[in-house]
Amino acid sequence: MKIADKLLNLVGVGRERGLPPPRLVAIADGLLVTERSAEAWFLISVANTDLATEGEQDAALDAAVSAAATILGDRLSHLKVVWGRSTGQDYIDSIAGHYRIGDHEGWAQTRADRIDEMRMPERYVALGVHLSDRDPRATAQVRGSISDALGTTSWRVSARELAHLDERVHKLARQLGSTVWRAHTAPAEVISWLISREMHRGAVAAPRRGLITGASLARLTAGRVVPYTDHLRIYDTRGQIAAYTSVLAMTDFPEELETPGAGEWLRTLSEIKAIDDDGDEIDVTVEASVRFRVLTKKTARHLVDETRKSAKEQRRSAAKGTAEETADEIVETERIMREVKRDINRSGLTLVEDHPRLLVSADTREDLDAYVDAVIAHYADRGITVAAGADEQRDLWLESLPGDQLRVPDLGHVRESTAFFGSWFWGGASIGDATGPSIGYLTGSTPGLVRFDAAAGSALGDATTTLFLGRSGRGKTTAAMLGGLDSAFAGAWVPLLDLKGDAAGVSAVAAEYGVPTAVIEITAQFSGAADLLRVLPVDDALLQAPSQLMLLLPPHLRGAAEAPVMAATRAEIQSPDPSSWGVIQRLCAAESETTRTVGFALRDLVETGLGSVVAGPPSGLSSLTTNPGLWVVQMPGLTLPSPESAPESWSPIERVGMACLRGCLAWMVRTTGRREFRGRSKVVIVPEVHLLTKTPDGASFLDYIARVGRALGASLVLDTQDPASILKLPGLVEQITTLFAFSLRSREQVDSLLELLGRPQTAPYQTLVRGINTAANGKSIRHGHCIMRDRWDEVATVQIDIPSQRVAELLRTTPESEHDLEPTQPILTPQEDLDPFAEDDEDRANALLPAAAAVAQAEAHTQEPVPNEPLPSVPVVETSSHHIPSAPVASTPAPVVPTPPPAPTNGALPPSSEDHHHPPRYEEPIGPNEVYDQEADYNEAMYPADAPNAPRTNGSGKKEHVG
C-alpha cells in the first residue's frame, strides 16, 4: 500500500472512495464485464422456509455454510435483493399452449387483468462473484472522448477472453446449482435490468438476447443521480425527479442472533411497515446490497492473529500508563480471538467479512423520511443498528451497482458464517407447480403467484389425487371449482358431483366462456345408471356390487343376507347382461323364505325414486358424455346421513342416498377407464367426501379409485371437512399429491390435518390451522386463505384468488346465489354483493338437499337423458364475448336452452374490442406508492361495493404502497 493510501485510510478517506463509476464493456448471460473486472451473476431460487421446522432450517443453514466455504472461499461476492413485479403479459406468455377449448384466451386475459390490478411484487435474489481483474490499459481510452462521457468504452471484449470467462461462469453455475440455493445463471436482460433500475428507477427496455455492448450499454447507464448529505435524487430523461433514494448502513449487530427469529435480518425485508396519515400500516419497499467475502481458514487465521496482536499491543500500551489499568474490552478481545482461532483449527469454524447496505426509495422527500424511520425502527426492535450514511451517499450508492466494488470498507463486519447466512436472504415462501394456471398468490414473506394444475399428476408419472380440507364456508369448494375450470379450458373431461346442489355456478362460468357444459340431473329416468354390476369390471363388481346392495338393507336383515346376496351375484354375473336388478329377481325367486324376504326388501327400495338408479331395471340411458368440458352431476332428492351417524341408524332414504352416491362415483371412475378414453385428460371432482368415508365400504372404494387414477390417466379432486377419516385410508393418503388446508377447530381434526401436511403437532402450527381463515382484524372470515402442500411436500400459506367480480358472482355457493333466485337466467347479476367465497353452513346445506332446491339450480343448464350408444353430441355454448353469453347450439334431443340475460346492471362495462396492454417484464420498478395488502379482508380489498371493477385501494381512496 502506498503512503498516500495509508494516510487516506487514516482519516477515513480510502482510495476506493475516489474511483470513478464502473465503465461497462459487455453483458452476456451470467457475465458482466467492466473496464476493471469481470463478474459472474446468478439468480438464487427462493427456499420455502416460512413454515419450516427449526430442524429443517438448521439443516439447510449448515448446508449453505458448507457450500459457501467450498465454492466462494476468498472470492469477492455481491448479494442483491431487489423487487420486480408480476405482470399479466408474463402470465399469458407462460401458459401459451396450455388452454385449448372455449374462449380460453378470454379466460387467460381475465386472470392477466387481475394480476395487473394487484401489482404484485416479485423478489429477485442475485449473486455476483468476482472472476478476475482486468488491466485498464488494455482498454485505454482518451479522457473526454464520447465513449468516456457515456460511461462506456468502445473496446469490445475479445472472443478468446469471452470464451474463457463463459467457461468459468458455467463451472460456477454447476457448483452453485447443486447447493441449497439452486442458483442458475442470470439472463443478460436481468443483469441489464439490475443496472438500469438503479440509474433510472423508471422504464428501460433492455435487449433480450445475445451480447450487450456499445450503444445498448450507454442507454443502460445514461442517467443522472445527484447525491445529498443523507439521500440521492434520481432524475429522469426530462430532468424531473423520478425518485428519492437513501442508502442505509447496518452498523451494529448484537453479539448473538437467533434463527429462526431476529437473526433472519435479510428475509424480513418484506415485513417492514410504515404508518400512513390515516394511521394504517403500509408496506415499505426495501432492497439490500451486501458485498461479502467468505474467508478461508488461512485468511481467517491471519485476520484473527492480526486482531489479537492489535489488542495485545493496546493492552501493553495501557499497562505502561500512569494508571496501569487495561480496558476490559481489550482483554476480552484477546480472549475471544484465542477462542475463535481454536475453533477455526478444531471445529472448522468459518468467518465472513460483509458490508450490508439497505436502499429505500420514495416519490417524495416526506415519504422517504417516513420509510427510513420505519426501517430503522424495524431493525432496532431486533437489536440491529441502522443509520443513513451521512456524507457517504454517493459512494454507498455506487457500491450497490453491479460491476462496482467496495468503497466504504470501514462500515463492515467480520462474523461467523452462520450469523451471515442465518440472515436467510434466500428464505421465504415458494410453492406450487412450476407451470400451469395460477390459482392464487402466496401470503408469506415473498409474494408471488401460485400455480396449480389438477391434471398434472398423470403427465408427471405421479399420483393424481388433490384434497381440499376444512370447515364449511371457508372457500374449499370454490377453490376446487376454479381448479376444475382450468382443467376444462385445457381440454379435460371434468365431471363434478354436486351433492349439495350449489355448484351450478361453475357451469355458468364455463358457458360464459364457451366451454361445453351442462348441469345434469340423475333421476329415475336413469334406472340402473349407478349399478356397480354394469359400471365396474367383472372382478371388481363381484366384490363391490354385493356391498352396495347390502347397504340398502335394514340392519336386522344384513346378517342373514350376506351369503344369499353373494351367491345370487355370482350367478347373475354369468348372464349375458348382468345387473343388480337381476340379482334382486334371483333373490325374490329363491326357495328360502329368508332369501325371498331379502329380495322383497331390496325390490321395494329400488322400485321408487333414486333407488332405481342404483339397482332398478336397466333403462339403457346414460347422462354423462365423454367429450371434453365441465359436467355438473346433481341428484335431486338425494338425502345423505350426517357424518356423525352410524350406518345402523340410517333411515331407508339415507341408505338409498349413500348407495346412489357410491354407484355414481364408480360410474365416473369406470368411464375414465374406458379403453378408447385412456389418452384423454380426466379430472373427477367429488365434494363432501366425508359423507362417504364414514362407511367402511365407501372408504375402501375411495382407496381403490385413488390407486388406479394414475394408470387410467384420471385425476381425483376431493373436498371434505373430516381429515381424521382421510387418515384412516392409508391407500388414499399415499395418493395425495396436493393438499389445500382451511381452518378447523377440534384438536383431533387439527392434529390430523397437521399430519397430512407433514408439520409437527405443536402449539404454533395448531394455532396457524385454527386461525388461517381469520382476517387480520380478528373479527371476520378471510375466505380462500389456506395452507397448501404441493407435490414436492413444500408447505406455505396461499390465498385462493378469483380472477374477476363476474366470475365471483357466478361461482358463489350460498343459498342466496342467483342460481336459486333466477333459475332461467343463471348469469344475471345478484341483487346483493355477497362474499364470493362464502359457502353455506351445514344447516343451510342440509336444507338444500331436497329435490326442489336442486331442480331450481339445475334448470338453466340441464341435459336430457340420451342413449348410451352411440355417444351423444355435446351442447356447446358459443359466445361472441366472454362477458355476455349467446344461446347454446346443441344437437341433443330437446335441450333446455337458457335465454340470454340482460346487460349487467352492476356497473360492469360492455364487451370491448380494444386491445389489452400489459407492460413487459421489468418495464416499471416497484414504486413506494403502491401496495399489495395481503392482510386486508379479501372481499372488501378486491371488490369495493361501490365500484366492483375499480382497482384496489387502501379503503381511504388514497394511494397504496407496495411491499
Side-chain angles (χ1 to χ4, degrees):
M1 181 182 293
K2 296 181 180 180
I3 297 177
D5 294 341
K6 293 182 178 180
L7 292 175
L8 289 172
N9 288 329
L10 184 63
V11 297
V13 183
R15 183 172 294 275
E16 299 89 351
R17 286 175 165 87
L19 290 175
R23 295 186 179 91
L24 305 182
V25 173
I27 298 176
D29 288 345
L31 182 63
L32 172 62
V33 182
T34 71
E35 194 178 46
R36 295 193 297 262
S37 65
E39 296 177 349
W41 278 90
F42 307 92
L43 290 178
I44 292 177
S45 302
V46 176
N48 194 47
T49 61
D50 281 359
L51 298 184
T53 63
E54 289 190 23
E56 292 169 341
Q57 287 204 30
D58 288 344
L61 181 56
D62 291 342
V65 170
S66 176
T70 303
I71 302 171
L72 301 178
D74 276 347
R75 290 178 179 268
L76 298 175
S77 303
H78 187 189
L79 178 70
K80 286 187 69 68
V81 181
V82 298
W83 297 92
R85 178 179 295 130
S86 299
T87 68
Q89 186 59 52
D90 284 342
Y91 176 72
I92 290 177
D93 293 342
S94 70
I95 61 169
H98 180 80
Y99 295 140
R100 292 187 292 170
I101 66 174
D103 182 15
H104 57 84
E105 293 181 353
W107 177 251
Q109 187 68 59
T110 301
R111 174 65 73 183
D113 291 342
R114 172 64 180 150
I115 292 171
D116 282 337
E117 177 187 320
M118 290 189 294
R119 305 178 70 84
M120 186 181 301
E122 186 176 18
R123 191 182 75 170
Y124 292 84
V125 180
L127 175 65
V129 181
H130 182 81
L131 294 178
S132 62
D133 291 324
R134 304 178 72 242
D135 185 0
R137 290 173 297 179
T139 58
Q141 298 293 315
V142 178
R143 292 289 180 178
S145 67
I146 295 177
S147 59
D148 185 71
L150 293 173
T152 62
T153 70
S154 61
W155 179 84
R156 295 180 180 273
V157 61
S158 69
R160 180 178 179 181
E161 182 183 6
L162 185 63
H164 174 68
L165 293 173
D166 187 65
E167 182 180 352
R168 296 182 63 183
V169 168
H170 282 82
K171 180 180 179 181
L172 266 177
R174 289 192 297 270
Q175 292 176 311
L176 292 172
S178 62
T179 65
V180 292
W181 300 316
R182 294 174 295 153
H184 57 278
T185 54
E189 66 267 19
V190 173
I191 301 175
S192 304
W193 174 68
L194 289 173
I195 299 169
S196 63
R197 67 194 309 277
E198 300 297 341
M199 299 296 300
H200 299 271
R201 294 280 167 176
V204 174
R208 287 284 177 175
R209 295 180 181 178
L211 189 65
I212 302 175
T213 59
S216 299
L217 293 180
R219 286 192 294 271
L220 294 177
T221 57
R224 182 184 172 209
V225 180
V226 179
Y228 287 76
T229 301
D230 59 352
H231 73 282
L232 304 109
R233 297 182 184 181
I234 301 175
Y235 292 81
D236 59 22
T237 55
R238 297 173 298 175
Q240 302 296 321
I241 297 178
Y244 294 84
T245 299
S246 183
V247 187
L248 312 179
M250 308 181 78
T251 59
D252 191 25
F253 285 81
E255 291 185 4
E256 294 184 358
L257 287 170
E258 293 185 1
T259 178
E264 301 177 60
W265 48 275
L266 281 179
R267 188 196 61 80
T268 62
L269 287 175
S270 60
E271 300 175 3
I272 300 176
K273 309 288 184 181
I275 305 298
D276 63 11
D277 296 337
D278 298 326
D280 298 326
E281 282 191 345
I282 54 176
D283 295 331
V284 179
T285 301
V286 183
E287 299 181 348
S289 173
V290 185
R291 293 191 176 271
F292 70 95
R293 180 170 59 124
V294 180
L295 306 181
T296 60
K297 282 188 177 182
K298 180 180 179 181
T299 305
R301 279 195 297 263
H302 176 73
L303 179 62
V304 169
D305 284 339
E306 289 294 321
T307 306
R308 184 180 58 82
K309 290 177 182 178
S310 177
K312 184 176 180 181
E313 290 176 359
Q314 293 180 50
R315 176 174 56 80
R316 288 178 175 177
S317 176
K320 294 178 182 179
T322 55
E324 296 186 355
E325 294 181 0
T326 304
D328 293 339
E329 292 82 358
I330 297 176
V331 176
E332 181 69 10
T333 300
E334 278 194 271
R335 184 186 64 80
I336 292 175
M337 290 302 102
R338 285 194 295 268
E339 292 178 357
V340 169
K341 185 174 182 179
R342 183 172 61 249
D343 290 340
I344 292 173
N345 293 329
R346 294 182 179 179
S347 60
L349 174 69
T350 56
L351 301 179
V352 172
E353 179 184 3
D354 62 272
H355 301 78
R357 319 287 187 235
L358 303 178
L359 289 86
V360 184
S361 293
D363 283 346
T364 66
R365 180 64 193 279
E366 292 75 15
D367 286 345
L368 179 64
D369 292 340
Y371 299 163
V372 168
D373 291 342
V375 173
I376 292 174
H378 172 84
Y379 282 103
D381 291 341
R382 290 156 174 77
I384 301 172
T385 302
V386 175
D391 299 318
E392 299 277 9
Q393 289 295 302
R394 172 190 178 275
D395 295 302
L396 291 176
W397 177 76
L398 287 173
E399 257 189 21
S400 70
L401 295 178
D404 204 89
Q405 65 179 64
L406 180 65
R407 290 173 175 267
V408 190
D410 44 313
L411 295 179
H413 311 273
V414 177
R415 63 182 108 201
E416 295 182 15
S417 294
T418 51
F420 176 75
F421 293 103
S423 65
W424 279 101
F425 53 82
W426 77 99
S430 175
I431 201 169
D433 295 331
T435 59
S438 170
I439 198 172
Y441 53 83
L442 291 161
T443 59
S445 58
T446 50
L449 297 179
V450 176
R451 297 177 185 268
F452 166 66
D453 186 357
S458 297
L460 296 173
D462 196 4
T464 59
T465 301
T466 299
L467 190 61
F468 292 85
L469 287 163
R471 299 169 63 196
S472 178
R474 297 304 184 265
K476 60 184 185 299
T477 301
T478 302
M481 289 192 293
L482 284 172
L485 279 168
D486 281 317
S487 298
F489 278 106
W493 176 72
V494 185
L496 186 151
L497 183 59
D498 183 13
L499 299 180
K500 294 192 297 183
D502 61 359
V506 71
S507 181
V509 175
E512 186 148 317
Y513 283 88
V515 173
T517 185
V519 176
I520 303 161
E521 295 179 356
I522 297 183
T523 62
Q525 301 174 78
F526 300 99
S527 181
D531 183 351
L532 296 184
L533 275 176
R534 298 174 56 80
V535 171
L536 297 178
V538 172
D539 293 341
D540 295 330
L542 186 59
L543 298 175
Q544 300 291 344
S547 177
Q548 185 184 39
L549 291 175
M550 292 289 292
L551 181 63
L552 294 172
L553 289 171
H556 69 277
L557 289 179
R558 291 177 188 170
E562 183 173 358
V565 169
M566 180 62 74
T569 303
R570 287 184 178 275
E572 175 66 15
I573 213 166
Q574 304 299 323
S575 65
D577 188 18
S579 66
S580 293
W581 176 252
V583 173
I584 293 174
Q585 297 305 308
R586 291 176 185 272
L587 293 172
C588 291
E591 297 180 358
S592 169
E593 183 177 354
T594 301
T595 304
R596 290 197 302 272
T597 301
V598 171
F600 295 148
L602 289 172
R603 188 179 64 185
D604 291 341
L605 283 176
V606 303
E607 283 185 339
T608 58
L610 285 175
S612 62
V613 178
V614 179
S619 65
L621 296 178
S622 172
S623 64
L624 280 185
T625 173
T626 58
N627 288 336
L630 194 145
W631 316 102
V632 179
V633 182
Q634 294 182 329
M635 287 178 267
L638 183 68
T639 300
L640 299 174
S642 65
E644 294 76 20
S645 61
E648 295 77 15
S649 65
W650 292 349
S651 65
I653 192 171
E654 290 174 337
R655 297 198 302 272
V656 171
M658 286 301 299
C660 187
L661 173 63
R662 190 175 309 132
C664 188
L665 285 174
W667 179 24
M668 289 182 175
V669 175
R670 175 56 178 164
T671 303
T672 65
R674 290 171 52 176
R675 184 177 301 275
E676 69 276 13
F677 200 31
R678 291 286 179 93
R680 183 174 298 167
S681 178
K682 301 167 283 287
V683 179
V684 179
I685 304 176
V686 186
E688 308 300 329
V689 173
H690 52 274
L691 300 175
L692 195 62
T693 56
K694 289 294 183 180
T695 64
D697 49 351
S700 63
F701 190 77
L702 274 179
D703 180 271
Y704 162 75
I705 60 178
R707 290 178 185 271
V708 302
R710 185 184 64 82
L712 301 178
S715 299
L716 191 62
V717 177
L718 305 178
D719 164 1
T720 181
Q721 301 178 28
D722 185 9
S725 65
I726 297 294
L727 275 179
K728 297 175 183 177
L729 306 175
L732 178 60
V733 171
E734 287 295 322
Q735 305 307 313
I736 297 172
T737 58
T738 305
L739 187 150
F740 296 87
F742 298 78
S743 65
L744 291 165
R745 287 295 184 188
S746 72
R747 177 66 176 268
E748 178 191 9
Q749 298 292 7
V750 169
D751 287 348
S752 298
L753 181 54
L754 288 173
E755 185 172 345
L756 289 170
L757 288 171
R759 298 296 89 186
Q761 297 168 353
T762 56
Y765 290 100
Q766 291 167 342
T767 302
L768 173 66
V769 171
R770 290 191 178 99
I772 191 66
N773 290 122
T774 302
N777 58 19
K779 297 181 180 180
S780 60
I781 298 174
R782 189 177 181 183
H783 297 288
H785 195 228
C786 60
I787 308 168
M788 178 181 178
R789 191 204 80 188
D790 65 15
R791 65 181 72 251
W792 294 278
D793 293 329
E794 299 285 358
V795 181
T797 56
V798 168
Q799 175 68 59
I800 305 299
D801 187 70
I802 301 178
S804 72
Q805 172 68 10
R806 180 62 175 156
V807 174
E809 292 168 354
L810 295 176
L811 285 182
R812 188 159 40 242
T813 60
T814 57
E816 296 86 356
S817 69
E818 70 243 34
H819 310 295
D820 287 319
L821 301 175
E822 301 288 345
T824 59
Q825 296 184 9
I827 312 179
L828 285 178
T829 304
Q831 297 180 1
E832 51 183 325
D833 189 14
L834 302 176
D835 193 292
F837 267 115
E839 295 178 277
D840 49 338
D841 56 29
E842 295 180 9
D843 293 336
R844 297 160 98 179
N846 292 334
L848 275 184
L849 291 177
V855 171
Q857 292 190 15
E859 287 182 356
H861 299 285
T862 303
Q863 178 181 342
E864 293 295 323
V866 293
N868 215 3
E869 298 292 343
L871 290 176
S873 58
V874 185
V876 179
V877 179
E878 297 180 353
T879 62
S880 58
S881 168
H882 67 266
H883 297 285
I884 300 179
S886 60
V889 179
S891 58
T892 52
V896 178
V897 180
T899 59
T905 59
N906 64 343
L909 296 176
S912 172
S913 61
E914 65 182 24
D915 294 335
H916 295 267
H917 170 70
H918 300 277
R921 180 177 292 196
Y922 320 128
E923 182 177 290
E924 294 181 87
I926 293 194
N929 298 321
E930 306 146 337
V931 72
Y932 171 52
D933 188 357
Q934 59 191 26
E935 296 300 331
D937 178 79
Y938 178 82
N939 193 40
E940 294 179 1
M942 179 174 173
Y943 306 114
D946 57 343
N949 298 317
R952 299 174 59 183
T953 66
N954 59 16
S956 64
K958 297 186 177 182
K959 63 185 180 182
E960 300 180 339
H961 301 261
V962 164

